[in-house]
Amino acid sequence: MSETIEQLADREYEYGFVTDIEMERIPKGLNADIVRLISSKNDEPEWLLAWRLKALERFQKMLAEGHHPTWAKVSYPEIDYQDMYYYAAPKPKKELESLDEVDPELLATYDKLGIPLLEQKRLAGVAVDAVFDSVSVATTYKDELEKQGILFGSFSDAVKDHPELIQKYLGSVVPYSDNFFAALNSAVFSDGSFAYVPKGVRCPMELSTYFRINAQETGQFERTLIVAEEGAYVSYLEGCTAPMRDENQLHAAVVELVALDDAQIKYSTVQNWYPGDKNGKGGIYNFVTKRGACRGKRSKISWTQVETGSAITWKYPSCILQGDDSVGEFYSVALTNNMQQADTGTKMIHIGKNTKSTIISKGISAGRGQQSYRGLVRMGPKAHGSRNYSQCDSLLLGDKCGAHTFPYLEVKNASSTVEHEATTSKIGEDQLFYCRQRGISEEDAISMIVNGFCKEVLRELPMEFAVEAQKLLGVSLEGSVG
Amino acid sequence: MLEIKNLHATAGDAEILKGIDLSIGAGEVHAIMGPNGSGKSTLAGVLAGRPAFAVTEGSIRYKGEDLLELEPEKRALAGIFLAFQYPVEIPGVTNNYFLKASLNAIRTARGEEEVDAMDFLTLVKEKMKIVEMPQDLMGRSINEGFSGGEKKRNEILQMLLLEPSFMVLDETDSGLDIDALRVVANGVNHLRGPERSMLVITHYQRLLDYIVPDVVHVLSEGRIVRSGGKELAHELEEKGYGWIEGASAP
Ligand SMILES: Nc1ncnc2c1ncn2[C@@H]1O[C@H](COP(=O)(O)OP(=O)(O)OP(=O)(O)O)[C@@H](O)[C@H]1O
Ligand SMILES: [Mg+2]
């Protein structure tokens, strides 16, 4: 059994190529001038620069006072925040009249990643915003969406075209002072995606952002903001990859979601950043703050994530259940192998009456991978009649890996209920032997068992992504879990 | 069909099988009885290639081939089937998916075409009737939450689908009520034929009323201590194993 598991753990990282393209980079380091420079690249209004500078001040204070978060069960050498680039963009960044003007090298890159951007080849039913290092390089189906009043495109364009929306919502869910990495991101974020679905509109296609880190020694700091007005519905997906490099690269993103009365946001992630090599050299540090606010009554936010990449993942997509009867969901599959580390989970903050949350977390560890589930469920004093159900399952492949569960509960009223279940299992020799006795190869058996284990989460993903996720999980079987 | 010579096998440090000789011809049904812990399931496991056991001496030839050379899945593809004493649960993988994957692996190995979803459904329905298994078990995770009897029926269902040539039934009768016993035995008898052989492990002669064996062996402390016709089973039921063990003591 161990042999096949090692093969699975050793499989090549498919997206490790580097795009050879001329880049514009600003000098290394982090200070007020750098922040001003980034802001001026995007022609930002005064208020936004001021906000960034406040965030920078906060970050520098936290850094000086040693507020770098240490509570997560991950370990890595200290990061030198002066020794990296905070902005890199393909040259020249001019106003594009149409997608046909996008650098062919970039188009080819996205083709290779399976995300064709040109009209003829586009994915049907999925609008894509392509973010390359620090900037958004293209957005598909923008005009079609606009006809229904849906705004979708790069964050920097949104700052120019819809400043009132950005000013209203930016930092309203994740303030710049929220945490160390949120402060860093707020100071230096360069681009990202913005989606806005107006009252009563059901977004007719999946919106998606594809993040690609390409440049060396460069961090990616993007910002995503999604707003669903009363009764609106949107399903949004993000995918991420990076070249194989020996150095560690930092990805510190912030995602904010706002759902008003009766609105629904479904947010799915397939995270496949470069995980580093077998011995733990290189790989992305994925330190991300994701939070959704169910502001309106009966609103609903669902997070679904499949996390297979990154050297270190530190990420807790959360829901603030403010509106009465609002619903928060978190479905997660995290896979760590070789030397990968993941500390991931969620926070469900119940504020309104009769709010409901569900947490399903599936952790798979192989090789020497280490993984922790960390989740907080808080039932506020006014969250009468609220409920939470949490289920955290861990599956171990081999005996050199580890799984840990840290559930935190705070219940401040007598009428809410909280249920928590946790299991840890090994892929048993018994299960493998049973499959093999029926003529199924060991490799297929492992895939089958892993997929079965993740089923409850995979079925939450939109179809196209479910397939990719299954493949990512080392799977070569068709429709096993459906 | 199967030729076992001087088979010794260990689990961990312990030697469990201590020199087994057994020859089963095509079309024959042999029964193995013996006290708890005597090594019956170990023998079944060794035949199927369970990695927990190591063969330290002796040989097994199957259809003229060296069986011990083959990986477990290759043995399955070559027609060896083990109905497990304790069928394993696999959460999230539907019985339906699993059986189809298994059947197609085996059909491919036999040089037959894979079956598609429709044909598979028809086939499975037909076999389910034989073992009187409720339809909804196909959509559930393999053996998860199945009752003891449902698990055993599920084993026989798989056997009926795969049509193996050498079958080992490890206490398939344990935990079955009287009616289920008849149903399961009926399923097994469906597969009896001149080209197929069986090794039936049981504690109760009752099963052997339905699946009538050609030969009965008694296994004790890793050795076959007595072999005889089907009347041996009756005798055992009356007198218990003490009778044989006493008789075979050196
Ligand atoms: N993996 C193992 N490691 C150590 N000992 C084992 C292992 N498997 C089986 N044994 C031991 O080998 C002996 C024979 O076990 P086996 O399961 O073959 O008995 P059995 O005849 O099938 O018994 P039963 O009638 O109870 O099913 C027992 O003492 C058992 O504890
Ligand atoms: Mg046994």
Side-chain angles (χ1 to χ4, degrees):
Chain A
M1 148 164 160
S2 54
E3 222 171 88
T4 311
I5 287 167
E6 269 160 29
Q7 279 166 12
L8 184 71
D10 279 358
R11 70 198 192 283
E12 278 289 316
Y13 182 72
E14 248 186 90
Y15 307 100
F17 64 92
V18 179
T19 305
D20 188 10
I21 190 167
E22 214 186 328
M23 298 293 290
E24 177 196 358
R25 255 198 318 212
I26 63 174
K28 259 189 188 173
L30 180 62
N31 53 50
D33 286 341
I34 292 287
V35 170
R36 280 193 193 95
L37 196 53
I38 292 172
S39 181
S40 73
K41 293 261 171 223
N42 292 342
D43 285 330
E44 281 172 3
E46 212 32 60
W47 66 264
L48 188 48
L49 174 61
W51 190 77
R52 285 176 179 278
L53 289 170
K54 272 191 288 183
L56 176 68
E57 208 175 303
R58 182 63 176 228
F59 175 76
Q60 284 170 330
K61 188 155 176 271
M62 289 171 115
L63 188 63
E65 291 172 1
H67 289 320
H68 194 276
T70 50
W71 43 265
K73 202 174 158 46
V74 296
S75 62
Y76 51 94
E78 206 176 310
I79 297 170
D80 181 352
Y81 291 92
Q82 295 305 338
D83 189 30
M84 76 172 98
Y85 296 100
Y86 286 84
Y87 184 93
K91 238 185 199 172
K93 207 217 165 208
K94 55 163 182 146
E95 285 291 311
L96 296 180
E97 287 306 314
S98 82
L99 277 169
D100 301 328
E101 291 176 30
V102 177
D103 188 318
E105 198 61 48
L106 281 176
L107 293 176
T109 297
Y110 281 89
D111 269 352
K112 214 161 148 183
L113 296 170
I115 315 287
L117 299 174
L118 282 184
E119 185 119 31
Q120 320 70 284
K121 294 193 274 177
R122 276 176 198 177
L123 302 173
V126 184
V128 180
D129 184 29
V131 175
F132 191 83
D133 289 325
S134 304
V135 296
S136 163
V137 292
T139 308
T140 62
Y141 293 112
K142 210 173 149 82
D143 302 343
E144 287 89 329
L145 289 167
E146 224 151 283
K147 283 182 199 135
Q148 303 202 34
I150 299 167
L151 307 176
F152 179 53
S154 76
F155 200 92
S156 52
D157 285 351
V159 168
K160 281 176 218 138
D161 302 341
H162 309 282
E164 67 304 336
L165 284 174
I166 301 295
Q167 192 161 15
K168 181 166 175 192
Y169 290 109
L170 178 71
S172 76
V173 188
V174 181
Y176 66 79
S177 55
D178 190 79
N179 68 68
F180 186 82
F181 295 112
L184 175 62
N185 172 287
S186 304
V188 300
F189 78 87
S190 45
D191 212 341
S193 300
F194 171 69
Y196 168 85
V197 186
K199 198 168 168 174
V201 173
R202 195 182 161 87
C203 185
M205 56 177 87
E206 307 277 352
L207 303 184
S208 126
T209 304
Y210 197 93
F211 294 101
R212 175 75 178 167
I213 294 178
N214 187 61
Q216 216 160 350
E217 294 177 85
T218 302
Q220 189 177 56
F221 306 91
E222 87 275 1
R223 193 103 199 169
T224 302
L225 173 60
I226 300 176
V227 179
E229 282 200 335
E230 290 85 352
Y233 168 87
V234 61
S235 169
Y236 174 90
L237 331 164
E238 63 175 355
C240 357
T241 58
M244 293 158 83
R245 294 190 189 282
D246 286 348
E247 64 191 279
N248 293 111
Q249 284 177 283
L250 181 61
H251 173 255
V254 172
V255 175
E256 299 179 279
L257 312 182
V258 179
L260 303 185
D261 286 358
D262 300 294
Q264 275 192 40
I265 302 176
K266 187 172 164 57
Y267 192 106
S268 314
T269 304
V270 174
Q271 185 266 106
N272 189 23
W273 294 119
Y274 177 53
D277 74 4
K278 259 204 304 226
N279 305 313
K281 199 169 173 60
I284 303 293
Y285 291 161
N286 190 34
F287 299 152
V288 171
T289 305
K290 291 183 164 172
R291 195 173 303 155
C294 283
R295 296 236 165 106
K297 296 193 175 90
R298 297 168 301 276
S299 56
K300 176 175 172 181
I301 289 179
S302 313
W303 299 100
T304 305
Q305 59 174 21
V306 175
E307 305 277 323
T308 60
S310 299
I312 300 177
T313 296
W314 178 100
K315 157 177 187 197
Y316 314 89
S318 305
C319 297
I320 317 263
L321 303 170
Q322 235 170 316
D324 291 348
D325 300 294
S326 60
V327 177
E329 294 174 337
F330 174 73
Y331 299 97
S332 169
V333 170
L335 185 146
T336 45
N337 63 34
N338 293 322
M339 302 292 283
Q340 278 179 282
Q341 311 172 59
D343 194 300
T344 182
T346 183
K347 287 192 264 188
M348 293 291 175
I349 311 296
H350 293 255
I351 297 171
K353 283 197 289 283
N354 299 318
T355 49
K356 238 172 64 183
S357 66
T358 305
I359 299 172
I360 309 278
S361 160
K362 305 278 183 176
I364 304 154
S365 306
R368 284 188 278 168
Q370 286 293 333
Q371 160 153 183
S372 305
Y373 166 80
R374 190 180 302 278
L376 167 69
V377 176
R378 179 186 295 151
M379 296 291 179
K382 293 191 182 130
H384 300 291
S386 296
R387 308 158 156 271
N388 160 267
Y389 172 75
S390 306
Q391 183 191 327
C392 306
D393 300 321
S394 311
L395 185 68
L396 305 176
L397 286 76
D399 47 18
K400 296 191 204 91
C401 48
H404 319 273
T405 306
F406 304 97
Y408 305 91
L409 283 182
E410 292 172 18
V411 181
K412 303 236 165 75
N413 76 74
S415 63
S416 12
T417 55
V418 176
E419 259 184 277
H420 180 89
E421 289 177 29
T423 65
T424 300
S425 50
K426 273 193 169 190
I427 283 204
E429 292 284 353
D430 282 357
Q431 288 176 328
L432 277 180
F433 178 63
Y434 190 74
C435 296
R436 297 175 77 189
Q437 211 304 301
R438 297 300 186 252
I440 295 163
S441 73
E442 193 173 29
E443 202 172 324
D444 287 353
I446 291 174
S447 294
M448 203 186 257
I449 295 166
V450 167
N451 263 291
F453 175 75
C454 303
K455 185 179 196 167
E456 290 151 284
V457 174
L458 295 180
R459 72 171 166 222
E460 294 295 325
L461 285 175
M463 264 296 277
E464 310 80 0
F465 264 35
V467 174
E468 191 189 332
Q470 280 190 22
K471 269 197 282 181
L472 270 183
L473 290 168
V475 173
S476 54
L477 23 98
E478 324 93 35
S480 67
V481 286
Chain B
M1 166 96 50
L2 192 80
E3 193 80 39
I4 303 177
K5 282 200 180 129
N6 189 32
L7 183 69
H8 289 252
T10 55
D13 293 332
E15 178 164 75
I16 315 284
L17 301 183
K18 303 172 178 163
I20 295 206
D21 291 285
L22 180 62
S23 171
I24 302 177
E28 291 179 4
V29 173
H30 289 221
I32 291 206
M33 303 178 83
N36 294 132
S38 57
K40 302 181 299 295
S41 294
T42 304
L43 176 60
V46 167
L47 286 170
R50 190 187 270 275
F53 303 121
V55 172
T56 49
E57 222 185 307
S59 65
I60 308 176
R61 300 199 80 78
Y62 166 71
K63 293 182 172 170
E65 261 192 280
D66 181 359
L67 191 67
L68 297 176
E69 284 288 296
L70 300 181
E71 291 287 306
E73 55 268 39
K74 292 286 182 301
R75 298 186 197 193
L77 300 179
I80 292 198
F81 182 93
L82 170 61
F84 286 67
Q85 181 174 2
Y86 304 109
V88 178
E89 302 185 356
I90 307 182
V93 180
T94 64
N95 216 15
N96 198 58
Y97 178 78
F98 180 73
L99 263 65
K100 184 162 165 269
S102 166
L103 178 64
N104 280 333
I106 282 177
R107 288 182 66 100
T108 306
R110 286 189 203 136
E112 296 167 7
E113 287 219 352
E114 294 198 356
V115 289
D116 62 21
M118 287 307 289
D119 292 344
F120 177 74
L121 203 65
T122 316
L123 194 62
V124 121
K125 271 191 180 156
E126 175 195 316
K127 307 291 185 195
M128 284 178 94
K129 249 187 233 144
I130 301 174
V131 288
E132 297 179 14
M133 210 166 112
Q135 192 76 44
D136 73 296
L137 289 185
M138 291 307 289
R140 285 174 40 189
S141 294
I142 304 164
N143 293 323
E144 200 182 32
F146 285 25
S147 76
E150 284 169 343
K151 285 184 182 169
K152 296 299 174 79
R153 281 177 207 233
N154 197 30
E155 294 292 291
I156 301 307
L157 173 72
Q158 297 181 36
M159 192 166 107
L160 288 168
L161 269 174
L162 302 179
E163 304 182 322
S165 44
F166 186 82
M167 288 151 263
V168 182
L169 303 169
D170 192 356
E171 296 198 27
T172 303
D173 53 336
S174 301
L176 292 183
D177 66 42
I178 301 282
D179 294 334
L181 182 70
R182 199 178 309 121
V183 167
V184 162
N186 177 38
V188 173
N189 284 328
H190 253 84
L191 282 175
R192 276 187 93 152
E195 297 306 320
R196 296 204 170 91
S197 313
M198 292 183 197
L199 187 63
V200 180
I201 297 170
T202 181
H203 284 294
Y204 307 105
Q205 97 84 23
R206 200 182 50 193
L207 176 71
L208 305 179
D209 284 343
Y210 295 105
I211 306 171
V212 183
D214 300 299
V215 188
V216 176
H217 308 276
V218 180
L219 192 67
S220 174
E221 293 178 20
R223 287 191 187 91
I224 291 179
V225 293
R226 180 69 73 96
S227 301
K230 61 174 186 287
E231 49 317 322
L232 181 56
H234 285 279
E235 223 167 329
L236 280 171
E237 186 113 319
E238 262 172 49
K239 301 184 183 162
Y241 291 117
W243 159 67
I244 295 241
E245 277 162 21
S248 71

